[in-house]
């Protein structure tokens, strides 16, 4: 099975999804028209073409077709999955719900989908895939508060589900409750402590919350944000997002440290205590390291060197803009 | 490097087979089966092979073994990173490292799923955005990646 079918087309970039959806009809017809699938039952046992790649491909093509709007092919893929795994399989129920959500034309049909989810959950409340789809449907129609309530029940029942905590953090962030978002991201990191991208995400959210604070609390939040980005760089060599965040937080921290008075009142955490604020020398060194590394990544990434082609154009451009903006400020 | 390693392996096999065959041929000569003085004291009589090989066959055997060792080490695949940060850095920096070779093998950042969250995928929103992008002309260059 060719490799492109093995990655799910759920990233922000629509191009992989488009190419997958274009190949979907040929894949489904090739699977259906193979001569051995039309043999009677006993003989098909001997000529088995079953493989994990086959069903992963079916699922990824299904997702790509839903995304691009090719509903007939999506339904063919779904039928093949149902034929193999059964209608009441947890994951297949979620895929069926996904299909119905995608093909719903108006809010009335979406309400029908919601009723179907409730029906499934009434019979068996432990189907987490359907619970997640229900929360996602509530969010997509705009009922954020109900989605948050649903997700809170979900994480209460399953506190090690990092995906649910991450979605809850995103929901809180979209509603502007930064403190709760920080709490949820910390829970994600409890479950997956080596997730360098979640350390960077937490750094970003804490930085956002620092913008709204003042005085000693702001200093503490900026220091925390800087430490999160440092941790993400410890976990991943040459992490562009981590170095970008480190550059931004150290820049802001230097400005606030230079304009600050000593001994500002802060709220102290009764459980964990306080870390000492970082010294100006340390912050300056980190700033210099971050700038140098960003410059190197931008240079090598834009040159397209072997082993440095994994950065996206948008990321590289943003890093370049950050460096250029600060060099302009120095020149002025 | 691969060509040199293969060449060294081939040479090693050739020398080894030559040395082994020479030893066999030599053992068939009647003049070879003189018991050496040393073997009396070190080996019991039942274990003594009673054949003395010339020095160059021994040296050729050892040389071929050395060649084969060197060739096998040089022809092995690239070592994969064992430090977490080196592995993570390769995934982030290199697109080739992110390819999914089989189900469960390879693949990119395993924590990317926490940011994409396929279980909560907003199909109506993402679908509308994608179809809007397609209707708006899509990607005209068709190159580059996200």
């Amino acid at each position: 099975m060719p490799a492109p079918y093995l990655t799910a087309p759920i990233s922000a970039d629509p191009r992989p999804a488009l190419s997958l959806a274009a190949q979907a009809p040929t894949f489904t017809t090739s699977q259906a028209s193979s001569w051995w699938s039309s043999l009677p039952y006993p003989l098909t046992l001997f000529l088995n073409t079953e493989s994990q790649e086959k069903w992963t491909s079916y699922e990824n093509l299904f997702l790509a077709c839903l995304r691009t709007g090719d509903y007939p092919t999506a339904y063919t893929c779904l039928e093949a999955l149902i034929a193999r795994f059964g209608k009441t399989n947890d994951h297949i129920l979620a895929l069926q719900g996904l299909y119905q959500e995608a093909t719903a034309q108006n809010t009335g049909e979406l309400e029908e989908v919601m009723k179907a989810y409730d029906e499934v959950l009434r019979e068996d409340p432990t189907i987490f895939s359907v619970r997640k789809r229900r929360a996602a449907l509530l969010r997509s129609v705009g009922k954020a508060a109900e989605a948050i309530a649903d997700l809170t029940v979900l994480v209460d029942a399953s506190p090690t589900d990092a995906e649910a905590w991450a979605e809850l953090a995103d929901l809180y962030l979209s509603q502007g409750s930064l403190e709760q978002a920080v709490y949820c991201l910390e829970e994600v990191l409890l479950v997956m402590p080596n997730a360098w991208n979640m350390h960077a995400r937490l750094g970003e959210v804490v930085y956002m919350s620092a913008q709204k604070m003042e005085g000693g609390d702001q200093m503490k939040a900026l220091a925390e944000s800087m430490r999160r980005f440092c941790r993400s760089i410890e976990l991943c060599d040459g992490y562009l997002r981590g170095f970008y965040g480190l550059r931004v937080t150290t820049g802001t921290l230097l400005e606030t440290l230079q304009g600050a008075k000593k001994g500002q009142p802060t709220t102290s955490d009764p459980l964990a205590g306080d870390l000492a604020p970082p010294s100006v020398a340390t912050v300056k060194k980190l700033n210099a390291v971050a700038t140098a590394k960003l410059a190197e990544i931008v240079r090598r990434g834009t040159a397209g060197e072997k082993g440095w082609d994994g950065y996206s154009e948008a990321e590289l451009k943003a890093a370049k803009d950050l460096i250029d903006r600060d060099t302009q400020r120095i020149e002025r | 490097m691969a060509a040199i390693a293969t060449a060294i392996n081939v040479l090693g096999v050739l020398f080894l087979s030559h040395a082994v065959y020479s030893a066999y041929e030599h053992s068939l000569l009647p003049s070879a089966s003189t018991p050496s003085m040393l073997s009396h004291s070190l080996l019991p009589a039942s274990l003594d092979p009673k054949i003395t090989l010339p020095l160059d066959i021994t040296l050729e055997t050892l040389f071929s073994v050395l060649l084969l060792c060197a060739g096998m080490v040089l022809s092995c695949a690239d070592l994969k990173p064992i430090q977490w940060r080196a592995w993570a850095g390769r995934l982030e920096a290199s697109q080739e490292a992110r390819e999914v070779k089989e189900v469960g093998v390879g693949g990119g950042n395993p924590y990317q799923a926490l940011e994409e969250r396929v279980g909560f995928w907003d199909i109506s929103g993402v679908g509308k955005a994608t179809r809007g992008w397609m209707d708006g002309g899509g990607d005209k260059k068709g190159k580059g990646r996200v």
Side-chain angles (χ1 to χ4, degrees):
Chain A
M1 203 62 67
Y5 298 166
L6 295 180
T7 42
I10 44 177
S11 64
D13 183 17
R15 286 174 298 212
L18 269 183
S19 68
L20 269 186
Q23 292 160 25
T26 45
F27 178 82
T28 45
T29 45
S30 76
Q31 294 291 321
S33 65
S34 24
W35 61 274
W36 55 74
S37 59
S38 53
L39 287 176
Y41 158 67
L43 293 174
T44 52
L45 289 175
F46 297 106
L47 297 166
N48 202 346
T49 55
E50 184 91 359
S51 66
Q52 278 186 304
E53 283 84 7
K54 179 176 174 184
W55 300 110
T56 315
S57 308
Y58 262 119
E59 184 177 340
N60 290 332
L61 290 171
F62 169 70
L63 294 175
C65 289
L66 279 187
R67 187 170 178 173
T68 53
D70 184 4
Y71 300 129
T73 324
Y75 193 68
T76 323
C77 296
L78 186 60
E79 273 183 333
L81 283 162
I82 292 175
R84 172 62 178 85
F85 295 105
K87 248 185 178 337
T88 51
N89 180 296
D90 286 4
H91 191 58
I92 302 296
L93 279 173
L95 292 182
Q96 286 172 330
L98 201 57
Y99 178 77
Q100 281 159 3
E101 278 182 50
T103 50
Q105 310 279 3
N106 48 38
T107 39
E109 292 190 21
L110 286 174
E111 289 289 318
E112 295 286 310
V113 180
M114 182 65 81
K115 286 203 194 84
Y117 285 155
D118 288 333
E119 182 66 43
V120 169
L121 289 172
R122 201 173 347 188
E123 284 178 47
D124 185 1
T126 61
I127 302 183
F128 274 82
S129 54
V130 173
R131 278 196 179 276
K132 287 184 179 181
R133 282 260 41 96
R134 188 169 182 276
L137 181 55
L138 283 170
R139 185 180 186 179
S140 68
V141 297
K143 297 182 185 166
E146 293 183 30
I148 288 178
D150 221 15
L151 274 170
T152 315
V153 172
L154 216 166
V155 295
D156 209 15
S158 171
T160 50
D161 191 347
E163 194 188 21
W165 280 112
E167 178 73 10
L168 192 51
D170 202 40
L171 259 175
Y172 275 131
L173 197 60
S174 69
Q175 302 295 300
S177 331
L178 290 175
E179 236 184 72
Q180 285 93 323
V182 166
Y183 178 83
C184 295
L185 283 171
E186 284 173 352
E187 288 285 332
V188 170
L189 287 172
L190 271 180
V191 178
M192 302 199 161
N194 289 339
W196 59 91
N197 57 343
M198 296 318 279
H199 277 286
R201 183 84 189 123
L202 184 51
E204 287 161 13
V205 175
V206 172
Y207 184 75
M208 278 195 259
S209 69
Q211 312 278 33
K212 297 189 184 160
M213 298 181 194
E214 292 178 31
D217 282 336
Q218 190 189 39
M219 194 81 71
K220 223 161 61 119
L222 283 174
E224 154 106 26
S225 163
M226 187 189 78
R227 288 188 179 109
R228 288 290 174 193
F229 283 115
C230 287
R231 183 73 188 129
S232 75
I233 294 167
E234 273 181 356
L235 286 168
C236 177
D237 280 342
Y239 189 33
L240 179 58
R241 187 176 171 188
F243 279 113
Y244 189 98
L246 188 60
R247 179 82 173 78
V248 169
T249 43
T250 47
T252 321
L253 202 50
L254 279 173
E255 284 172 10
T256 25
L257 278 173
Q258 276 154 8
K261 310 177 280 291
K262 274 191 90 84
Q264 283 181 322
T266 65
T267 53
S268 187
D269 186 351
L271 278 173
D274 274 338
L275 286 170
S279 66
V280 178
T282 318
V283 177
K284 278 200 181 133
K285 264 196 257 178
L286 284 171
N287 198 10
V289 163
T291 318
K293 193 70 183 172
L294 272 178
E296 184 196 353
I297 294 174
V298 164
R299 195 183 68 233
R300 289 200 164 164
T302 44
E305 275 185 33
K306 189 177 180 307
W308 294 80
D309 56 351
Y311 300 108
S312 72
E313 290 172 18
E315 280 182 316
L316 290 171
K317 187 166 185 315
K320 194 165 189 313
D321 287 343
L322 180 67
I323 303 171
D324 290 342
R325 180 174 67 204
D326 288 322
T327 44
Q328 272 177 10
R329 211 188 299 161
I330 295 169
E331 280 165 11
R332 247 183 280 128
Chain B
M1 180 50 103
I4 299 171
T6 325
I8 294 177
N9 270 335
V10 165
L11 273 178
V13 166
L14 279 175
F15 278 129
L16 187 62
S17 41
H18 180 254
V20 167
Y21 192 66
S22 307
Y24 167 70
E25 288 267 282
H26 189 82
S27 70
L28 294 177
L29 292 171
S31 59
S33 50
T34 47
S36 62
M37 294 311 293
L38 204 56
S39 58
H40 259 294
S41 51
L42 290 175
L43 287 174
S46 55
L47 292 176
D48 187 1
K50 296 187 212 34
I51 291 177
T52 50
L53 287 177
L55 184 62
D56 56 343
I57 293 185
T58 317
L59 288 177
E60 192 182 5
T61 319
L62 289 172
F63 176 64
S64 65
V65 166
L66 281 173
L67 272 184
L68 279 173
C69 287
M72 276 196 265
V73 165
L74 288 172
S75 62
C76 77
D78 281 336
L79 295 177
K80 295 187 176 48
I82 55 171
Q83 285 173 314
W84 179 282
R85 55 182 173 83
W87 164 76
R90 268 188 70 217
L91 284 180
E92 288 286 332
S94 149
Q95 202 166 353
E96 193 194 327
R98 278 183 235 179
E99 279 170 13
V100 184
K101 307 261 180 345
E102 305 166 21
V103 174
V105 175
N109 183 351
Y111 302 110
Q112 193 61 29
L114 289 174
E115 302 210 86
E116 289 172 354
R117 297 187 293 271
V118 67
F120 294 99
W121 202 31
D122 175 18
I123 180 62
S124 26
V126 170
K128 282 201 193 80
T130 310
R131 287 190 290 278
W133 178 80
M134 281 159 63
D135 292 336
D139 185 28
K140 294 171 186 64
K141 284 190 302 202
K143 273 196 308 181
R145 53 167 295 283
V146 153

